[in-house]
Amino acid sequence: MFKNIILTGFMGVGKTSVGTKLAQDLGYTFVDTDTLIEADQKMTITDIFAKLGEPRFRDIESTVIGKILQGERQIISTGGGAVIRDANRDAFRKAGFVVCLSARAEVIFERVKQETHRPLLQTPDPLAKINELLENRARFYSQADLSIDTSGKTVDEVVHIIKERIRHAYC
Ligand code: S3P
């Protein structure tokens, strides 16, 4: 089996729901980098962005990723911007099987529009911001071992696709 399965992808694509179910099914531990960052800093992601700024958040994120990737038998849900750093992507590749979840911009917007905990989307036009970030990050998200568009799919369907793929990769 793979040492770890690393879930990448934009905000609102379903990394937490898919990762939680996948971890249950495989008997792996589910970990979420944002949760670890908040515990480490004793601050919410919103406060880290507001008080320390995004560049500092990215440094903390890379440190947390470096630590968590030392472990194994984990399903690791990564923050949507973690892929923008080359070092993070290299580390993901070395530490396990990388699955990128995606969704259409409109689907992401519908999923996140009532939420307030993602500082990058607290703008007057979140859909435009989603499109802008998706475009900037597309070349990073595409560097995964497996990519799945979750638009219109249930969590169980996405989990099934991942399990089938890792079964074939392993056999
Ligand atoms: C971010 C995604 C968030 C969180 C932070 C920045 C991003 O994680 O790390 O708000 O840059 O896309 P989720 O993808 O888990 O929402």
Side-chain angles (χ1 to χ4, degrees):
M1 253 313 194
F2 291 99
K3 203 174 134 200
N4 294 291
I5 296 174
I6 297 119
L7 300 179
T8 62
F10 201 76
M11 298 172 261
V13 296
K15 289 168 291 183
T16 305
S17 327
V18 167
T20 305
K21 177 73 174 47
L22 186 62
Q24 273 169 12
D25 286 8
L26 297 180
Y28 276 34
T29 307
F30 175 76
V31 287
D32 176 279
T33 57
D34 282 343
T35 305
L36 296 176
I37 292 167
E38 289 184 331
D40 182 70
Q41 295 295 305
K42 300 180 181 58
M43 257 194 270
T44 63
I45 300 292
T46 299
D47 283 345
I48 298 171
F49 268 73
K51 294 185 178 146
L52 308 178
E54 183 172 351
R56 180 80 192 109
F57 169 79
R58 297 294 169 203
D59 288 342
I60 299 164
E61 182 175 54
S62 291
T63 305
V64 164
I65 286 169
K67 275 190 206 151
I68 201 67
L69 291 178
Q70 315 269 319
E72 46 188 70
R73 294 182 67 83
Q74 308 172 101
I75 308 296
I76 305 168
S77 172
T78 63
V83 292
I84 62 182
R85 285 203 173 173
D86 297 350
N88 292 346
R89 293 197 311 283
D90 286 349
F92 292 159
R93 208 172 301 124
K94 287 186 188 127
F97 188 74
V98 182
V99 179
C100 182
L101 304 183
S102 66
R104 291 192 305 276
E106 294 71 23
V107 173
I108 292 172
F109 176 67
E110 284 304 315
R111 288 179 186 166
V112 304
K113 68 180 183 192
Q114 308 291 357
E115 298 172 349
T116 55
H117 67 277
R118 293 183 173 100
L120 292 177
L121 300 182
Q122 303 312 301
T123 68
D125 189 350
L127 181 57
K129 187 71 186 173
I130 290 168
N131 275 307
E132 178 196 318
L133 288 171
L134 281 175
E135 198 181 319
N136 292 343
R137 296 175 177 179
R139 66 187 192 281
F140 304 129
Y141 289 137
S142 67
Q143 295 173 31
D145 298 305
L146 170 66
S147 298
I148 306 170
D149 185 344
T150 65
S151 312
K153 290 192 183 70
T154 64
V155 169
D156 282 347
E157 284 168 341
V158 178
V159 167
H160 179 75
I161 294 169
I162 299 172
K163 286 198 296 190
E164 279 299 296
R165 177 60 191 274
I166 56 176
R167 197 161 63 85
H168 287 116
Y170 190 59
C171 292

